[in-house]
Amino acid sequence: MPNVDDQSSSSGSLGYLLVLVLFALVFVLIIPLIGMLYVDTMVVKREAKAQMEKVEKLRKQVEEDAKREAEPR
């Protein structure tokens, strides 16, 4: 009869090693990338909001200038 104990323990430790490497990849590579994407998204959102406020301010200024020019003197 072949010895089955050696084969199962070596493949089991290889499986644990593979799982350990996968967890290391997730925590070392993927989570920081997700964090950087989140921060970048927040920066772009803040910049877009600032640009929208500038556009709204300029639109109001143009409307006020148009009203002033339309008034008879």
Side-chain angles (χ1 to χ4, degrees):
M1 242 192 301
N3 190 357
V4 182
D5 292 337
D6 292 337
Q7 292 175 352
S8 65
S9 67
S10 67
S11 66
S13 64
L14 182 63
Y16 288 126
L17 183 63
L18 182 64
V19 169
L20 182 65
V21 169
L22 288 175
F23 274 123
L25 284 175
V26 166
F27 286 112
V28 172
L29 296 175
I30 295 175
I31 290 178
L33 286 175
I34 290 172
M36 285 188 288
L37 285 173
Y38 178 73
V39 169
D40 190 42
T41 302
M42 297 310 280
V43 168
V44 168
K45 186 177 178 182
R46 183 177 34 192
E47 289 176 358
K49 185 177 178 182
Q51 290 296 323
M52 289 296 290
E53 290 173 355
K54 286 180 184 178
V55 167
E56 187 67 25
K57 183 178 177 183
L58 287 173
R59 185 185 64 81
K60 286 180 182 179
Q61 184 179 1
V62 166
E63 286 178 356
E64 289 174 2
D65 289 346
K67 285 181 183 177
R68 282 189 210 130
E69 289 179 5
E71 291 177 359
R73 292 185 180 198

